[in-house]
Amino acid sequence: MFCAAMISCSGWGTNPAGRIVLGIQTTGLGEGKSLTLLQHQSNDTVTVTANGDYQFPPSYGTYRVSIIRQPLGQSCTVANETGTLQYDNTPPVLVTCANTAITIGGTISGLLAGETALLRNTGVDSVVVSANGGFTFPTPVASGTNYYVTVDHPFRCTKSNEYGVATAPVTTVRIIC
């Protein structure tokens, strides 16, 4: 592999001033999403807009990297986030992102003693509710997923706030029987 003096290779490289480039490798970042990293010692930031390789501006000495802005609907973690910059031996900072799991739920009222309600989310996930109060579907959904809550029985129940796009935990579905 050939590397020019100003380019990062496998997480490292140098420039003519002897400063070292710290590489970044990102995986799992969703399409159209971005995150921002901070290299604390040099106060440099890098905005990552797609999976792949990035780099901080050349620096020297020790480094500590953290995420200062997470992508909407995802949570990212950083590995190799601290160390000392070395010409031949500085591993890249590894950023791994995943969609956050979001729960769908709300409250039900008006159930009669001994009565149960069968609720479904988007026709797939279901929950049986046997008492008035809060409920949550057992399977979280990925951020950005559409949800639509229906009542299979009892048929006399009405609903509100039963559909939308999950971008944060949903607790506002209302079922009145």
Side-chain angles (χ1 to χ4, degrees):
M1 174 188 296
F2 173 76
C3 298
M6 293 291 284
I7 303 296
S8 172
C9 298
S10 302
W12 58 267
T14 64
N15 67 15
R19 292 178 178 223
I20 300 169
V21 174
L22 177 59
I24 305 162
Q25 292 178 349
T26 304
T27 59
L29 184 63
E31 186 175 328
K33 298 186 183 290
S34 66
L35 66 101
T36 303
L37 299 166
L38 171 66
Q39 205 287 66
H40 292 269
Q41 280 66 15
S42 63
N43 206 32
D44 290 319
T45 60
V46 171
T47 298
V48 175
T49 58
N51 293 312
D53 296 330
Y54 293 81
Q55 61 188 25
F56 282 102
S59 187
Y60 56 91
T62 62
Y63 64 91
R64 181 171 61 94
V65 175
S66 64
I67 298 171
I68 58 173
R69 188 176 53 82
Q70 292 275 1
L72 181 64
Q74 289 196 294
S75 178
C76 301
T77 58
V78 180
N80 301 335
E81 69 270 22
T82 61
T84 301
L85 294 167
Q86 300 173 5
Y87 176 71
D88 293 12
N89 199 20
T90 303
V93 173
L94 303 174
V95 179
T96 305
C97 301
N99 289 338
T100 53
I102 296 177
T103 56
I104 308 295
T107 58
I108 188 168
S109 62
L111 283 177
L112 303 173
E115 185 176 39
T116 61
L118 175 59
L119 311 178
R120 293 194 190 276
N121 178 23
T122 318
V124 179
D125 196 16
S126 63
V127 62
V128 175
V129 182
S130 57
N132 293 311
F135 67 89
T136 302
F137 285 93
T139 307
V141 299
S143 179
T145 300
N146 292 323
Y147 66 92
Y148 180 64
V149 176
T150 58
V151 180
D152 277 10
H153 66 76
F155 297 114
R156 64 184 174 82
C157 299
T158 61
K159 52 195 183 315
S160 61
N161 301 323
E162 72 270 23
Y163 62 89
V165 178
T167 57
V170 175
T171 60
T172 57
V173 177
R174 301 288 177 251
I175 309 293
I176 300 171
C177 299

